[in-house]
Amino acid sequence: MKIRMGGETRELRTLWREGSVVKMIDQRGLPHRFEIASSGDHRETADAIRDMVLRGAGAIGVAGGYGMAQAALEAKDLSLGEFEGYLEEAAERLKKTRPTAVNLFHAVDRCLAAALSGSMKERVEKVEAEADAIAEEDLAASKRIGEHGGGLIGDGFGILTHCNAGALAFIDLGTALSPIRFAHTQGKRVHVFVDETRPRCQGARLTAWELQQEGIPYSLIVDNAAGHFMRRGEVDIVIVGADRVAANGDVANKIGTYEKAVVAHENGVPFYVAAPRMTFDMKAETGEGIEIEERSPEEVTGMWGLDDEGRQRWIMIAAEGTPARNPSFDVTPAKYVTGFITEAGILRPPFGESILKAFG
Ligand code: RUB
């Protein structure tokens, strides 16, 4: 993605690997502070996923793969038996960080499978190659999602998106934002309605920042305003990402997605989910079984912001000790989804069949 800083433009990925070191854009400081964070071993990479230094299903998956490559390099001087034990433990540690995005589980399992046969040298090389392949596949999928989804966007469209399913949620380009980038590059006039996405404000902090970097017109709106704009006919299409899609087309995505889908349905606005193969979980028959991460109540009772002197500050919104609930994701039933924008094309209902045909 293009990062404009002090008159200079840099092309960067959200995260990348330099041997045993993983580098990533530290998303906790954005949009006010741009910093690259480094993780020197798989434990630090697990911490970075848990603490949301990086986030978004695709990026979490790639980080999980890179964490496994780090673990393989850390264990390369052990016996084969100890190596396998070390990698299995690393896999467990990485998988425990965030439960909902299935990309993490797919990536870690692929790398673990690569670690279980061959000589030590071959095993380490295979895990590294698998981790790098996952990153390149994700990037290729984003490009295809952009091309397929770009065709759904007409000139002059208002597009609503929720959370951040952009370059920062992936290696680059993203899922929901990729078709928007594509349509913009084709010269179509678009206007993006960006839900702020409480409690962590990924829309206000990350999606708005990405669109600003790319020069794509947008308005930031509070989460509660989406229905208002849909009812007034200002939104022509909703495009969101996903953390896990069940085999029947139920979608787990950032909390609030379900409400947007219901309101879109009520107003006849098409509701599309942009997601690559890695986000589909064929083992989950429906959305019922998907684990929903519950995060700290403090994210609801307070928030981060910038003070007058440019310092990042945590401020309280609710009274000290206010009880709060903080589910990070919700499940949107498949009946509200118009289609899935995937690297294999647009999947249409009945999703049980179209998903199985594309990814089964
Ligand atoms: C991110 C979120 C995003 C999806 C899409 O949640 O819900 O919409 O992960 O990601 P969080 P992708 O910020 O809590 O990780 O574009 O990678 O499919």
Side-chain angles (χ1 to χ4, degrees), residues 162 195-204 223 254-256 297-304 314 317 326-328:
H162 191 65
D195 288 345
E196 62 175 344
T197 320
R198 276 284 287 152
R200 290 186 67 103
C201 296
Q202 289 94 329
D223 294 318
K254 180 54 55 195
I255 192 77
E298 285 169 17
E299 291 182 353
V300 179
T301 55
M303 68 194 295
W304 286 103
W314 177 258
I317 299 170
N326 188 15
S328 199

Side-chain angles (χ1 to χ4, degrees), residues 265-333:
H265 183 78
E266 168 71 16
N267 289 280
V269 177
F271 182 92
Y272 282 92
V273 176
R277 167 194 281 267
M278 283 282 268
T279 306
F280 286 78
D281 182 0
M282 301 307 281
K283 287 195 211 123
E285 279 177 34
T286 71
E288 285 311 307
I290 298 176
E291 187 180 340
I292 300 295
E293 178 181 9
E294 282 254 2
R295 296 187 62 87
S296 156
E298 285 169 17
E299 291 182 353
V300 179
T301 55
M303 68 194 295
W304 286 103
L306 208 65
D307 72 12
D308 285 349
E309 277 143 36
R311 284 174 304 209
Q312 243 181 345
R313 293 264 189 213
W314 177 258
I315 55 156
M316 290 297 294
I317 299 170
E320 187 87 41
T322 300
R325 294 284 306 274
N326 188 15
S328 199
F329 301 94
D330 59 26
V331 173
T332 298

Side-chain angles (χ1 to χ4, degrees), residues 52 54-60 98 101 103 162-166 169-170 174-176 200 202 206 240-243 252-255 257 274-276 279 293 295 328-329:
M52 294 177 73
L54 60 85
R55 28 63 52 205
I60 292 171
R98 296 199 69 193
N103 309 51
H162 191 65
C163 192
N164 173 264
F170 234 68
T175 49
R200 290 186 67 103
Q202 289 94 329
L206 307 176
V240 299
D243 288 86
N253 191 48
K254 180 54 55 195
I255 192 77
T257 302
T279 306
E293 178 181 9
R295 296 187 62 87
S328 199
F329 301 94

Side-chain angles (χ1 to χ4, degrees), residues 103-123:
N103 309 51
L104 175 64
F105 299 84
H106 285 159
V108 168
D109 285 342
R110 272 176 63 174
C111 291
L112 187 59
L116 300 181
S117 65
S119 68
M120 179 61 87
K121 187 168 174 292
E122 282 164 354
R123 290 177 187 221

